[in-house]
Amino acid sequence: MKASLEDIARVAGVSKMTVSRVLRGASGFSDETRDRVLQIAQNLGYVPNRLAAAFGADQASTLVGMCVPRLTSGLFGHVLDGVDRALTRLGFQLMIGANNHSLAEEEAWIRQVVSWRPAGLILSGRTHTPATVDLLRLSALPVVEIWDLTTRPIDLAIGFSHVDCGVEMGQHLIRRGRRRIGYLGALARADVMGAARLQGLQQALQQAGHPLEAVEILHDAPGFYAGYYGLEMLLARAPELDAVAFHNDEMAIGGLAWCQKCGLRVPEDIGIAGWGGMEAASILPRRLTTTQVPTTAIGKAAAEALVARLQGANIPEVTVLPTRLIPGETV
Amino acid sequence: MKASLEDIARVAGVSKMTVSRVLRGASGFSDETRDRVLQIAQNLGYVPNRLAAAFGADQASTLVGMCVPRLTSGLFGHVLDGVDRALTRLGFQLMIGANNHSLAEEEAWIRQVVSWRPAGLILSGRTHTPATVDLLRLSALPVVEIWDLTTRPIDLAIGFSHVDCGVEMGQHLIRRGRRRIGYLGALARADVMGAARLQGLQQALQQAGHPLEAVEILHDAPGFYAGYYGLEMLLARAPELDAVAFHNDEMAIGGLAWCQKCGLRVPEDIGIAGWGGMEAASILPRRLTTTQVPTTAIGKAAAEALVARLQGANIPEVTVLPTRLIPGETV
DNA sequence: CTGAAAGCGCTAACAC
DNA sequence: GTGTTAGCGCTTTCAG
């Protein structure tokens, strides 16, 4: 990678400042100069050095860091997709990391990323270590916290309320006549947001006079298989349950598979509810009752809010993109 | 972000070079100096400026760029996870992009990323625009092409043969007594690797004397729903099929859902085969016949190969991580 | 419309 | 064990 502004300038017989202006699309040069410079840059195979640009003038950074809980999550895949498309369109680059539901890993990742002087950060969730919060405050970086709402975001927040998701689902189950309800989750004490949904569920059931009967939280990835064997465990302990709410759709679909294997009829013998609104939920033989989450929209909104903020726009501190409970045929 | 090496040096009463050495864990300072410097750095809330470091000495870059076809792909989610974990462990940062199965988008993304002077690149697939190849050759960056094999990689390749996947599946179907076989794919002319699997399938069936009877390639994302309605379309055109191979597991599961809805028995009335080995495939009421792909392993291997190469190790040009056909109960 | 000068924060190379 | 010097490629600022 040899050619620099200087090289182009020399060949073009102008100063490197003029070349810089042309290449950045600024103003202050004649059409003729522009054409010549562009031509030469092309010939020389010039590749700009963003490192130098961002270093020399820190507001020139077009790097955005984003941290998700897990890179293998279907839901966050869509969030990432929303972010990526928006950022690409806006001329930004995406640096990514997973925190594996650990605040300490998030902190470590943020430290690394911040040292690259990004233009801004997108974080998943509202809980961070105190050191993380300090670091972010000190760096004065634009930060969008997505996925979960927070009354007092570090900077901006875009998401929805997980507690409300739980409440809604609880009310739905009661409305459907379910009375002995269980919950199957995963990733004990790591997934704060799953815990919030559980809490909302408990609240609603309590209030309806039919408190949650059994809870099982697996120490496992919240996938199909965990739902499959987890439901077996849960029902072994609490065979009388007439409905089970799952951490997410993948686990719920796993649960459905187990029901089918055992000859348990859904929804007659037992009701099954998921969360997340994955595509498969809508084409199962019986459409899964679930909560649809605006994943791509959140990603897009987060990226756009961040960039708008960089450009000085006034963005509301908290943006709510509501979820929607989709009554299916499984409860 | 105020504190720089200079600031620490001033407070510590040493030169910034000494501070640099301490902070980088190099040698050439007393224990006492080290402790003092570290303490002061901590107090000052020093955050290193990697931009400056990488700019001043390009071999200091710890940025790795990775481009995947789609961020919403379950398979690539696992590849990314493998890459991310390995890179994090090795002290590198990950810059990411999606090419949406477009070589032009890949080229655009690579141009952006290369301007950040990364330490290396991980690309998905072996096909690139000529300009991309030129750019990569010129930049002399370490490049790992994953997912697909290539006889002549730009630099390094880690993956498996999609044609072989198709051949194996074709042979399996024949062995199971299927004679009138169809294929349901998606993303016409965009997904080169899906096309390679189809080609392998065709080859094997041809050779066995029972050429592929019908092919349907949807212009849609290769998800559950595409498999669902796509199978309906395919069977409307070719009702006599006794087996259908799908682009991937998600589509196959969608196809299974359609069969169930229509009362088609699997595998008696029709055989269903997927590709990819997603988790759900193993817990379906009837275990899906599919091909397992070593996603995480490929990601991990790619990251490790890249870093090893940066450190001067001698890496084989092509590494094969084989896939495995998993006979299930659906064909 | 164009150019010259200064400096961003760090590290390599070399001196002491 | 420690310091000095130079320079990475760009943009900002100020002069023409």
Side-chain angles (χ1 to χ4, degrees):
Chain A
M1 210 82 68
K2 27 203 150 205
S4 70
L5 286 192
E6 186 88 55
D7 299 325
I8 300 175
R10 197 168 24 248
V11 178
V14 295
S15 75
K16 61 181 187 174
M17 200 47 233
T18 299
V19 178
S20 169
R21 286 196 262 254
V22 169
L23 260 26
R24 273 178 301 140
S27 65
F29 45 79
S30 66
D31 286 4
E32 193 225 356
T33 306
R34 188 198 53 216
D35 293 348
R36 191 151 36 94
V37 165
L38 288 177
Q39 182 60 52
I40 293 168
Q42 169 92 12
N43 291 347
L44 260 40
Y46 173 72
V47 178
N49 187 338
R50 273 218 157 71
L51 239 33
F55 169 55
D58 21 325
Q59 96 266 35
S61 175
T62 53
L63 226 44
V64 170
M66 166 149 191
C67 194
V68 299
R70 300 179 306 129
L71 253 6
T72 52
S73 153
L75 290 178
F76 275 99
H78 285 271
V79 177
L80 275 176
D81 188 49
V83 169
D84 178 61
R85 284 174 197 270
L87 287 185
T88 299
R89 184 167 42 78
L90 296 165
F92 286 69
Q93 287 79 45
L94 183 58
M95 244 169 113
I96 213 172
N99 60 36
N100 299 300
H101 293 284
S102 149
L103 298 186
E105 281 187 52
E106 181 187 68
E107 182 183 332
W109 179 82
I110 290 177
R111 270 188 204 293
Q112 296 295 331
V113 169
V114 166
S115 74
W116 285 100
R117 301 295 187 267
L121 253 35
I122 301 176
L123 305 179
S124 308
R126 66 181 189 188
T127 346
H128 315 283
T129 65
T132 300
V133 176
D134 283 354
L135 178 61
L136 293 176
R137 287 249 149 78
L138 229 74
S139 70
L141 239 39
V143 175
V144 184
E145 293 169 275
I146 62 158
W147 204 240
D148 198 1
L149 287 180
T150 159
T151 39
R152 197 69 203 76
I154 297 179
D155 188 18
L156 302 176
I158 296 181
F160 53 89
S161 159
H162 288 258
V163 175
D164 288 357
C165 283
V167 169
E168 261 193 273
M169 186 54 83
Q171 292 170 343
H172 176 80
L173 294 176
I174 293 293
R175 219 178 303 124
R176 292 285 176 144
R178 306 292 164 162
R179 293 297 177 259
R180 311 180 66 88
I181 297 167
Y183 177 85
L184 182 57
L187 289 175
R189 82 163 182 277
D191 184 345
V192 195
M193 298 179 261
R197 300 198 291 276
L198 169 54
Q199 188 204 317
L201 180 70
Q202 274 171 321
Q203 235 174 64
L205 296 182
Q206 184 79 47
Q207 196 150 5
H210 304 284
L212 198 63
E213 295 229 343
V215 174
E216 180 80 44
I217 311 270
L218 306 171
H219 297 258
D220 197 351
F224 296 99
Y225 193 59
Y228 185 78
Y229 77 81
L231 183 56
E232 176 167 17
M233 288 171 61
L234 184 64
L235 289 180
R237 263 189 27 220
E240 78 292 347
L241 294 180
D242 64 7
V244 175
F246 285 75
H247 174 92
N248 65 16
D249 283 358
E250 273 149 297
M251 289 184 70
I253 292 173
L256 283 173
W258 192 78
C259 289
Q260 177 141 7
K261 184 186 163 237
C262 295
L264 270 174
R265 289 168 311 157
V266 176
E268 294 83 355
D269 299 333
I270 190 164
I272 299 286
W275 184 84
M278 72 180 281
E279 202 197 342
S282 64
I283 57 151
L284 290 170
R286 317 197 80 88
R287 256 178 34 253
L288 180 67
T289 295
T290 186
T291 300
Q292 206 151 46
V293 179
T295 48
T296 317
I298 289 177
K300 181 167 185 283
E304 287 171 351
L306 194 62
V307 173
R309 195 166 168 332
L310 285 170
Q311 292 164 351
N314 217 336
I315 310 289
E317 255 203 343
V318 174
T319 304
V320 184
L321 294 185
T323 59
R324 232 178 65 207
L325 194 149
I326 310 280
E329 303 162 293
T330 59
V331 65
Chain B
M1 211 80 69
K2 30 205 143 199
S4 72
L5 285 193
E6 186 89 57
D7 299 323
I8 300 174
R10 196 170 22 249
V11 177
V14 296
S15 76
K16 60 181 190 175
M17 199 51 228
T18 299
V19 178
S20 169
R21 286 196 263 254
V22 169
L23 261 25
R24 272 179 302 140
S27 64
F29 45 79
S30 65
D31 286 4
E32 193 224 355
T33 306
R34 189 198 51 215
D35 294 347
R36 191 153 36 94
V37 164
L38 288 178
Q39 182 60 52
I40 293 168
Q42 169 93 16
N43 292 347
L44 260 39
Y46 174 73
V47 178
N49 187 338
R50 272 218 158 73
L51 240 33
F55 170 54
D58 22 325
Q59 96 265 31
S61 176
T62 53
L63 224 44
V64 170
M66 166 146 191
C67 194
V68 299
R70 301 179 305 130
L71 253 7
T72 52
S73 153
L75 290 177
F76 275 99
H78 285 271
V79 178
L80 275 176
D81 188 49
V83 169
D84 177 62
R85 284 174 198 271
L87 286 186
T88 299
R89 183 167 44 76
L90 296 165
F92 285 70
Q93 287 78 45
L94 183 57
M95 239 168 116
I96 213 173
N99 61 35
N100 298 300
H101 293 284
S102 150
L103 298 186
E105 281 186 50
E106 182 186 66
E107 181 182 332
W109 180 82
I110 290 178
R111 270 187 204 293
Q112 296 294 331
V113 169
V114 166
S115 73
W116 286 101
R117 301 295 188 264
L121 253 34
I122 302 177
L123 305 179
S124 309
R126 67 180 189 189
T127 344
H128 316 282
T129 65
T132 300
V133 176
D134 283 354
L135 178 61
L136 293 176
R137 287 248 149 79
L138 230 73
S139 70
L141 238 38
V143 175
V144 185
E145 293 168 276
I146 63 158
W147 204 241
D148 198 1
L149 286 180
T150 159
T151 37
R152 198 66 203 78
I154 297 180
D155 188 18
L156 303 176
I158 296 181
F160 54 89
S161 159
H162 289 256
V163 175
D164 288 357
C165 282
V167 169
E168 260 193 273
M169 185 55 81
Q171 292 170 342
H172 176 80
L173 294 175
I174 294 293
R175 220 179 302 123
R176 291 286 176 140
R178 307 292 164 160
R179 292 297 175 261
R180 310 181 67 89
I181 297 168
Y183 176 86
L184 181 58
L187 288 176
R189 82 160 181 277
D191 184 346
V192 195
M193 298 181 260
R197 301 199 290 276
L198 169 55
Q199 187 204 319
L201 179 70
Q202 274 171 320
Q203 234 174 65
L205 296 182
Q206 184 81 48
Q207 196 151 7
H210 304 285
L212 197 62
E213 295 230 341
V215 174
E216 180 80 44
I217 311 269
L218 307 171
H219 297 261
D220 197 350
F224 297 99
Y225 192 60
Y228 184 79
Y229 77 80
L231 183 55
E232 177 169 16
M233 287 172 61
L234 184 64
L235 289 181
R237 263 189 28 220
E240 78 293 348
L241 295 180
D242 64 7
V244 175
F246 286 74
H247 174 91
N248 64 16
D249 283 358
E250 272 149 298
M251 288 184 69
I253 292 173
L256 283 173
W258 192 79
C259 290
Q260 177 142 5
K261 183 185 166 237
C262 296
L264 271 173
R265 289 167 310 158
V266 177
E268 294 83 354
D269 299 332
I270 190 164
I272 299 286
W275 183 83
M278 73 179 280
E279 201 197 341
S282 64
I283 58 152
L284 290 170
R286 316 196 80 89
R287 256 178 36 251
L288 180 68
T289 295
T290 186
T291 300
Q292 206 151 48
V293 179
T295 48
T296 318
I298 288 178
K300 181 168 185 282
E304 287 171 350
L306 193 61
V307 173
R309 195 166 168 332
L310 286 171
Q311 293 165 350
N314 218 334
I315 310 289
E317 255 202 344
V318 174
T319 304
V320 183
L321 294 186
T323 59
R324 233 178 65 207
L325 194 150
I326 309 280
E329 303 162 293
T330 59
V331 67

Short mmCIF file of all heavy atoms in Angstrom, two decimals, chain B residues 223-249:
data_model
loop_
_atom_site.label_atom_id
_atom_site.label_comp_id
_atom_site.label_asym_id
_atom_site.label_seq_id
_atom_site.Cartn_x
_atom_site.Cartn_y
_atom_site.Cartn_z
N GLY B 223 -35.28 -19.26 4.30
CA GLY B 223 -35.75 -19.51 5.67
C GLY B 223 -36.88 -20.52 5.71
O GLY B 223 -37.22 -21.15 4.70
N PHE B 224 -37.45 -20.68 6.89
CA PHE B 224 -38.52 -21.65 7.10
C PHE B 224 -39.67 -21.43 6.11
O PHE B 224 -40.17 -22.37 5.50
CB PHE B 224 -39.07 -21.52 8.52
CG PHE B 224 -38.06 -21.85 9.57
CD1 PHE B 224 -37.38 -20.84 10.23
CD2 PHE B 224 -37.78 -23.17 9.91
CE1 PHE B 224 -36.44 -21.14 11.20
CE2 PHE B 224 -36.85 -23.47 10.88
CZ PHE B 224 -36.17 -22.45 11.52
N TYR B 225 -40.05 -20.18 6.00
CA TYR B 225 -41.24 -19.90 5.22
C TYR B 225 -41.03 -20.21 3.74
O TYR B 225 -41.91 -20.74 3.06
CB TYR B 225 -41.67 -18.45 5.41
CG TYR B 225 -43.04 -18.20 4.87
CD1 TYR B 225 -44.14 -18.90 5.36
CD2 TYR B 225 -43.24 -17.28 3.85
CE1 TYR B 225 -45.40 -18.70 4.85
CE2 TYR B 225 -44.50 -17.06 3.33
CZ TYR B 225 -45.58 -17.78 3.83
OH TYR B 225 -46.83 -17.57 3.31
N ALA B 226 -39.84 -19.91 3.25
CA ALA B 226 -39.54 -20.21 1.85
C ALA B 226 -39.63 -21.72 1.60
O ALA B 226 -40.10 -22.17 0.56
CB ALA B 226 -38.15 -19.70 1.49
N GLY B 227 -39.19 -22.51 2.58
CA GLY B 227 -39.28 -23.95 2.44
C GLY B 227 -40.72 -24.41 2.42
O GLY B 227 -41.10 -25.35 1.69
N TYR B 228 -41.52 -23.73 3.20
CA TYR B 228 -42.94 -24.09 3.35
C TYR B 228 -43.69 -23.87 2.04
O TYR B 228 -44.21 -24.80 1.44
CB TYR B 228 -43.51 -23.21 4.46
CG TYR B 228 -44.93 -23.48 4.85
CD1 TYR B 228 -45.25 -24.56 5.68
CD2 TYR B 228 -45.95 -22.64 4.44
CE1 TYR B 228 -46.56 -24.79 6.07
CE2 TYR B 228 -47.25 -22.86 4.83
CZ TYR B 228 -47.56 -23.93 5.65
OH TYR B 228 -48.85 -24.16 6.04
N TYR B 229 -43.68 -22.64 1.57
CA TYR B 229 -44.46 -22.39 0.36
C TYR B 229 -43.73 -22.87 -0.88
O TYR B 229 -44.34 -23.23 -1.89
CB TYR B 229 -44.84 -20.91 0.25
CG TYR B 229 -43.74 -19.97 -0.21
CD1 TYR B 229 -43.42 -19.86 -1.57
CD2 TYR B 229 -43.02 -19.20 0.69
CE1 TYR B 229 -42.43 -18.99 -1.99
CE2 TYR B 229 -42.04 -18.34 0.28
CZ TYR B 229 -41.74 -18.23 -1.06
OH TYR B 229 -40.74 -17.40 -1.48
N GLY B 230 -42.41 -22.95 -0.81
CA GLY B 230 -41.65 -23.41 -1.96
C GLY B 230 -41.93 -24.87 -2.28
O GLY B 230 -42.03 -25.26 -3.45
N LEU B 231 -42.09 -25.66 -1.24
CA LEU B 231 -42.37 -27.08 -1.48
C LEU B 231 -43.73 -27.23 -2.16
O LEU B 231 -43.90 -28.06 -3.07
CB LEU B 231 -42.33 -27.87 -0.17
CG LEU B 231 -42.55 -29.38 -0.33
CD1 LEU B 231 -41.55 -29.97 -1.30
CD2 LEU B 231 -42.48 -30.09 1.01
N GLU B 232 -44.65 -26.43 -1.73
CA GLU B 232 -45.97 -26.45 -2.38
C GLU B 232 -45.83 -26.16 -3.87
O GLU B 232 -46.37 -26.87 -4.72
CB GLU B 232 -46.89 -25.42 -1.72
CG GLU B 232 -48.24 -25.35 -2.40
CD GLU B 232 -49.26 -24.54 -1.60
OE1 GLU B 232 -48.84 -23.78 -0.70
OE2 GLU B 232 -50.45 -24.68 -1.89
N MET B 233 -45.06 -25.13 -4.19
CA MET B 233 -44.86 -24.76 -5.59
C MET B 233 -44.21 -25.89 -6.36
O MET B 233 -44.61 -26.26 -7.47
CB MET B 233 -43.97 -23.53 -5.69
CG MET B 233 -44.64 -22.23 -5.27
SD MET B 233 -43.45 -20.87 -5.18
CE MET B 233 -42.87 -20.81 -6.89
N LEU B 234 -43.17 -26.45 -5.74
CA LEU B 234 -42.41 -27.50 -6.43
C LEU B 234 -43.29 -28.71 -6.71
O LEU B 234 -43.29 -29.27 -7.82
CB LEU B 234 -41.21 -27.89 -5.56
CG LEU B 234 -40.25 -28.91 -6.17
CD1 LEU B 234 -39.58 -28.35 -7.41
CD2 LEU B 234 -39.20 -29.33 -5.14
N LEU B 235 -44.06 -29.11 -5.71
CA LEU B 235 -44.89 -30.31 -5.87
C LEU B 235 -46.07 -30.07 -6.80
O LEU B 235 -46.57 -31.00 -7.43
CB LEU B 235 -45.38 -30.79 -4.49
CG LEU B 235 -44.28 -31.41 -3.63
CD1 LEU B 235 -44.85 -31.89 -2.30
CD2 LEU B 235 -43.59 -32.56 -4.36
N ALA B 236 -46.49 -28.82 -6.89
CA ALA B 236 -47.56 -28.51 -7.84
C ALA B 236 -47.06 -28.77 -9.26
O ALA B 236 -47.77 -29.30 -10.11
CB ALA B 236 -47.99 -27.05 -7.69
N ARG B 237 -45.81 -28.45 -9.48
CA ARG B 237 -45.23 -28.64 -10.81
C ARG B 237 -44.81 -30.07 -11.05
O ARG B 237 -44.76 -30.54 -12.19
CB ARG B 237 -43.99 -27.74 -10.94
CG ARG B 237 -44.28 -26.44 -11.65
CD ARG B 237 -43.00 -25.70 -11.95
NE ARG B 237 -41.87 -26.57 -12.11
CZ ARG B 237 -40.65 -26.32 -11.64
NH1 ARG B 237 -40.43 -25.20 -10.99
NH2 ARG B 237 -39.68 -27.17 -11.83
N ALA B 238 -44.39 -30.74 -9.99
CA ALA B 238 -43.84 -32.09 -10.14
C ALA B 238 -44.35 -32.97 -9.01
O ALA B 238 -43.63 -33.31 -8.09
CB ALA B 238 -42.31 -32.03 -10.12
N PRO B 239 -45.61 -33.36 -9.09
CA PRO B 239 -46.26 -34.06 -7.97
C PRO B 239 -45.70 -35.46 -7.74
O PRO B 239 -45.89 -36.02 -6.67
CB PRO B 239 -47.73 -34.12 -8.39
CG PRO B 239 -47.81 -33.65 -9.80
CD PRO B 239 -46.50 -33.14 -10.24
N GLU B 240 -45.01 -35.97 -8.72
CA GLU B 240 -44.56 -37.36 -8.61
C GLU B 240 -43.25 -37.54 -7.83
O GLU B 240 -42.77 -38.66 -7.67
CB GLU B 240 -44.42 -37.97 -10.01
CG GLU B 240 -43.17 -37.56 -10.76
CD GLU B 240 -43.14 -36.07 -11.14
OE1 GLU B 240 -44.18 -35.38 -11.03
OE2 GLU B 240 -42.05 -35.60 -11.53
N LEU B 241 -42.66 -36.44 -7.35
CA LEU B 241 -41.36 -36.54 -6.66
C LEU B 241 -41.44 -37.46 -5.45
O LEU B 241 -42.43 -37.45 -4.72
CB LEU B 241 -40.91 -35.15 -6.19
CG LEU B 241 -40.59 -34.12 -7.29
CD1 LEU B 241 -40.16 -32.81 -6.66
CD2 LEU B 241 -39.53 -34.65 -8.24
N ASP B 242 -40.39 -38.25 -5.23
CA ASP B 242 -40.38 -39.08 -4.02
C ASP B 242 -39.32 -38.61 -3.01
O ASP B 242 -39.14 -39.24 -1.97
CB ASP B 242 -40.21 -40.56 -4.37
CG ASP B 242 -38.87 -40.87 -5.03
OD1 ASP B 242 -38.02 -39.97 -5.11
OD2 ASP B 242 -38.70 -42.02 -5.47
N ALA B 243 -38.62 -37.52 -3.34
CA ALA B 243 -37.71 -36.91 -2.36
C ALA B 243 -37.35 -35.50 -2.82
O ALA B 243 -37.30 -35.21 -4.01
CB ALA B 243 -36.43 -37.74 -2.22
N VAL B 244 -37.13 -34.64 -1.85
CA VAL B 244 -36.70 -33.28 -2.16
C VAL B 244 -35.51 -32.93 -1.29
O VAL B 244 -35.54 -33.11 -0.07
CB VAL B 244 -37.83 -32.26 -1.93
CG1 VAL B 244 -37.33 -30.84 -2.15
CG2 VAL B 244 -39.02 -32.56 -2.84
N ALA B 245 -34.45 -32.47 -1.93
CA ALA B 245 -33.29 -31.95 -1.20
C ALA B 245 -33.46 -30.44 -1.12
O ALA B 245 -33.82 -29.79 -2.10
CB ALA B 245 -32.00 -32.30 -1.93
N PHE B 246 -33.20 -29.89 0.06
CA PHE B 246 -33.39 -28.46 0.28
C PHE B 246 -32.05 -27.73 0.37
O PHE B 246 -31.03 -28.33 0.70
CB PHE B 246 -34.18 -28.22 1.57
CG PHE B 246 -35.64 -28.54 1.44
CD1 PHE B 246 -36.08 -29.87 1.40
CD2 PHE B 246 -36.59 -27.53 1.35
CE1 PHE B 246 -37.42 -30.17 1.28
CE2 PHE B 246 -37.93 -27.82 1.24
CZ PHE B 246 -38.35 -29.14 1.20
N HIS B 247 -32.13 -26.46 0.10
CA HIS B 247 -30.97 -25.58 0.20
C HIS B 247 -30.32 -25.65 1.59
O HIS B 247 -29.11 -25.68 1.72
CB HIS B 247 -31.40 -24.14 -0.09
CG HIS B 247 -30.36 -23.12 0.09
ND1 HIS B 247 -29.52 -22.72 -0.92
CD2 HIS B 247 -29.99 -22.41 1.17
CE1 HIS B 247 -28.70 -21.80 -0.46
NE2 HIS B 247 -28.96 -21.59 0.81
N ASN B 248 -31.16 -25.66 2.62
CA ASN B 248 -30.63 -25.76 3.97
C ASN B 248 -31.67 -26.34 4.92
O ASN B 248 -32.79 -26.63 4.52
CB ASN B 248 -30.13 -24.39 4.46
CG ASN B 248 -31.26 -23.37 4.57
OD1 ASN B 248 -32.43 -23.72 4.58
ND2 ASN B 248 -30.88 -22.10 4.66
N ASP B 249 -31.29 -26.47 6.18
CA ASP B 249 -32.19 -27.10 7.16
C ASP B 249 -33.43 -26.27 7.43
O ASP B 249 -34.52 -26.81 7.61
CB ASP B 249 -31.45 -27.31 8.48
CG ASP B 249 -30.51 -28.49 8.42
OD1 ASP B 249 -30.46 -29.15 7.37
OD2 ASP B 249 -29.83 -28.75 9.43
#
